[in-house]
Amino acid sequence: MTRILLPLLASAALCTTVASQASAELDVAGLKSTIEASVERDYPSLDALYKDIHAHPELAFQEVKTAAKLAAEMRAIGFDVTENVGKTGLVALYRNGDGPTIMVRTELDALPMEEKTGLPYASHDKTIWGGRETFVAHSCGHDIHMASWTGAAKTLVALKDRWHGTLMFIAQPAEEIVSGAKAMIADGLFTRFPKPDFGFALHDGPGAFGSISYRVGIGSSNSDSLFVKFHGRGGHGATPQATIDPVMMAARFVVDVQSVISREKDPTEFGVVSIGAVHGGTAENIIPDDVTLLGTIRTFKPEVRAKMLAGIERTAKAVAAMSDAPAPDIKITEGAKAVINDAGVVATAEKVLKVAFGDKFRTSPPGTPSEDYSEFVNAGVPSMFFNIGVYEPERVASARDGTGPVLPSNHSPLFAPVPKPTIETGVTAMTLAVLSAFDEHARGK
């Protein structure tokens, strides 16, 4: 049986007796079983929390009720909780003697979209967003993260005789608009509270539940938002010669901008431009004065990003010039940076998680979506960001070999994680990862 070093985890269940707490030899498989048994006992309350949050989601910086629910949960566990950090964020601290401060992050916000899963606990809530009424849904899986975060906090406190240091559990607002991490840092996250020595976060996705993927180095993409407004001269659709058609310009740009990807960027490097919104016109026989495009730009490397941004701007200007139109308004807004996983933190957790999860714990390529957890990394918190699956393994296997339907991914209105095994994996993996960091620090003294 494989054994590795971790903090002393003596318990009746494990029948472990050691003299030195700092470097006890531990049966990781036994520890995993103990954690899973604890999660099984706690699961009814985690399930109720998950389904309540899922049914009542809130958008970025509106997460007042969601934050209050998590604050109550953490206070009941024994954490000191500070609310309204970075507008609606939480900081929950549990001090347990001398040792490192380890941060675990979850997100609070949901998406402005309608859920179509048909689940009995599906969201039917609406709110005002961007001046319009919209449905709200946890289609990105942040509700799973919050339940796993709460469960990991409870499990780690139950194991408080086996580690020393400070748990810093933070609930971040506005991840979906990549603003919440910056807001918390600007509000004194690392000056009003301890600066973490290590940090962890997870994200769910359309893999098999019970599986975990991770990577060293680049873990997610840089993101930039794109705004382009083409100016024309409106008129009757029956006399286009009297107009300068911005719809034509917008259509040409949507196609031509892809040549930046296919002909200017090195094909071995990641980069993508996607146009997600086109706004213009009021009727089928009216050529409008202008058309606005909104899009997203994703890259891994700074040099690729710079080349793509230059090419996108040049293409937009060229499209307008071809129509003898005024120069377009172009605004590229920097979003989240790539999450860079720390090699040392990953190596420490890797030893534990490989033993605990076997071949279900494996490396994967960097994720192409973006994550503002990068703000915490760039502020100096060595971290590991990993992923967990949410669907039945057999459904995932059939989807991959083409014998079954494609499974809904994050941001799909049909995204529907299987709660219990997904949350159990999140709690177990996060608890073991945090314990690995406490142990590495204790043995390094």
Side-chain angles (χ1 to χ4, degrees):
M1 184 175 288
T2 304
R3 295 175 183 271
I4 67 171
L5 296 178
L6 271 180
L8 177 57
L9 289 157
S11 69
L14 294 176
C15 300
T16 304
T17 304
V18 294
S20 170
Q21 186 170 0
S23 59
E25 190 174 85
L26 180 74
D27 174 2
V28 177
L31 171 59
K32 182 187 178 189
S33 296
T34 299
I35 293 171
E36 289 176 339
S38 176
V39 176
E40 181 69 25
R41 289 191 300 270
D42 292 337
Y43 187 74
S45 64
L46 294 177
D47 185 73
L49 176 66
Y50 165 70
K51 290 176 179 176
D52 182 23
I53 291 172
H54 184 97
H56 302 293
E58 296 173 297
L59 296 180
F61 294 127
Q62 297 180 11
E63 317 97 322
V64 176
K65 294 179 181 178
T66 305
K69 290 170 188 174
L70 294 191
E73 293 283 340
M74 298 302 276
R75 288 191 176 104
I77 296 169
F79 282 74
D80 294 325
V81 179
T82 302
E83 299 179 69
N84 303 314
V85 180
K87 296 185 180 178
T88 47
L90 299 178
V91 177
L93 298 175
Y94 191 95
R95 296 176 175 87
N96 188 34
D98 294 332
T101 295
I102 298 181
M103 184 179 81
V104 179
R105 186 216 66 170
T106 190
E107 315 96 305
L108 294 166
D109 59 328
L111 290 161
M113 61 184 291
E114 183 178 3
E115 179 176 351
K116 299 179 181 179
T117 62
L119 292 167
Y121 51 89
S123 169
H124 302 287
D125 287 3
K126 296 181 180 180
T127 191
I128 302 300
W129 184 250
R132 296 184 295 176
E133 185 178 63
T134 179
F135 283 98
V136 188
H138 268 300
S139 300
C140 197
H142 292 177
D143 46 358
I144 289 284
H145 305 172
M146 285 183 262
S148 300
W149 181 85
T150 303
K154 190 168 187 178
T155 304
L156 284 161
V157 169
L159 297 171
K160 65 182 179 181
D161 291 341
R162 295 112 187 216
W163 56 269
H164 293 296
T166 299
L167 296 174
M168 183 178 180
F169 274 55
I170 68 169
Q172 176 206 312
E175 189 278 329
E176 292 295 348
I177 62 170
V178 295
S179 299
K182 288 182 180 179
M184 293 191 79
I185 292 170
D187 199 17
L189 179 63
F190 298 144
T191 55
R192 295 165 56 191
F193 308 96
K195 178 73 174 288
D197 297 286
F198 312 105
F200 294 95
L202 61 77
H203 207 296
D204 56 12
F209 58 61
S211 66
I212 303 168
S213 61
Y214 73 103
R215 56 212 63 87
V216 179
I218 296 173
S220 66
S221 68
N222 301 299
S223 71
D224 295 279
S225 63
L226 174 65
F227 170 98
V228 181
K229 187 172 186 177
F230 289 104
H231 302 284
R233 183 171 62 236
H236 202 294
T239 57
Q241 74 278 7
T243 73
I244 297 176
D245 191 347
V247 176
M248 185 71 74
M249 287 185 272
R252 182 178 290 126
F253 174 79
V254 170
V255 175
D256 287 354
V257 75
Q258 296 306 320
S259 68
V260 176
I261 306 300
S262 65
R263 290 296 178 267
E264 297 187 34
K265 178 188 65 62
D266 183 338
T268 65
E269 300 288 358
F270 169 70
V272 65
V273 180
S274 295
I275 304 300
V278 180
H279 301 298
T282 57
E284 74 277 5
N285 62 347
I286 303 172
I287 293 173
D289 283 330
D290 51 60
V291 173
T292 298
L293 302 178
L294 304 175
T296 186
I297 307 160
R298 306 297 172 111
T299 55
F300 288 150
K301 295 182 179 179
E303 59 272 23
V304 175
R305 175 179 178 269
K307 178 177 283 292
M308 285 179 53
L309 297 191
I312 291 165
E313 183 170 353
R314 188 180 64 253
T315 301
K317 291 178 179 178
V319 164
M322 287 171 64
S323 295
D324 196 24
D329 298 331
I330 304 169
K331 183 178 180 181
I332 297 175
T333 304
E334 187 174 78
K337 302 291 193 304
V339 173
I340 307 298
N341 285 318
D342 183 83
V345 176
V346 173
T348 297
E350 184 179 45
K351 291 182 292 186
V352 178
L353 295 175
K354 276 188 175 178
V355 173
F357 290 93
D359 61 5
K360 293 181 180 180
F361 178 73
R362 59 179 71 93
T363 58
S364 68
T368 55
S370 301
E371 240 297 342
D372 71 346
Y373 187 86
S374 56
E375 295 295 329
F376 304 126
V377 173
N378 293 338
V381 181
S383 295
M384 179 181 181
F385 191 104
F386 59 91
N387 299 85
I388 60 174
V390 303
Y391 290 130
E392 297 89 341
E394 59 273 16
R395 288 180 64 200
V396 174
S398 63
R400 287 176 177 169
D401 66 20
T403 60
V406 174
L407 294 174
S409 62
N410 306 75
H411 291 220
S412 163
L414 300 176
F415 185 65
V418 182
K420 188 175 181 181
T422 304
I423 293 169
E424 287 175 338
T425 300
V427 173
T428 303
M430 187 60 76
T431 300
L432 290 170
V434 171
L435 288 173
S436 75
F438 276 126
D439 174 68
E440 183 72 12
H441 182 272
R443 290 189 291 113
K445 286 184 176 179

